[in-house]
Amino acid sequence: MFAIERDVQIAALREVHHERSRTLANVPAGSRSHARLLAECESISDEIDRLKRCINVPRSAVAAIPVILAVLVLALIS
């Protein structure tokens, strides 16, 4: 996953999380709606954390892998 795409996803999820948190603040605690919104907020937060842990791989490194493999295969064949 590329850093720009990851950052865009994180920003979008933060916006959704903010909206759900605002809604959650106005729902009575203990209600079914509150529990559902709370679970959704926790799920969004977990996804944000997962995306933050993703490793940043530059496009040039990804593009170089097939070239390196091709050179190694040709070297082994020769």
Side-chain angles (χ1 to χ4, degrees):
M1 177 175 299
F2 302 108
I4 295 171
E5 294 169 0
R6 183 193 67 190
D7 292 345
V8 169
Q9 286 181 338
I10 289 172
L13 285 171
R14 282 186 176 153
E15 183 65 30
V16 171
H17 187 268
H18 180 69
E19 291 172 11
R20 297 299 188 274
S21 295
R22 256 189 299 166
T23 305
L24 182 64
N26 297 321
V27 175
S31 67
R32 188 177 297 176
S33 300
H34 186 271
R36 210 171 24 241
L37 281 169
L38 185 60
E40 186 178 356
C41 285
E42 289 173 353
S43 175
I44 293 168
S45 181
D46 290 344
E47 180 66 11
I48 290 170
D49 290 341
R50 185 190 70 77
L51 287 171
K52 285 181 180 178
R53 288 190 306 268
C54 286
I55 295 173
N56 225 359
V57 179
R59 288 181 190 253
S60 58
V62 172
I65 291 172
V67 173
I68 293 170
L69 289 175
V71 169
L72 288 174
V73 168
L74 288 174
L76 289 173
I77 292 174
S78 300

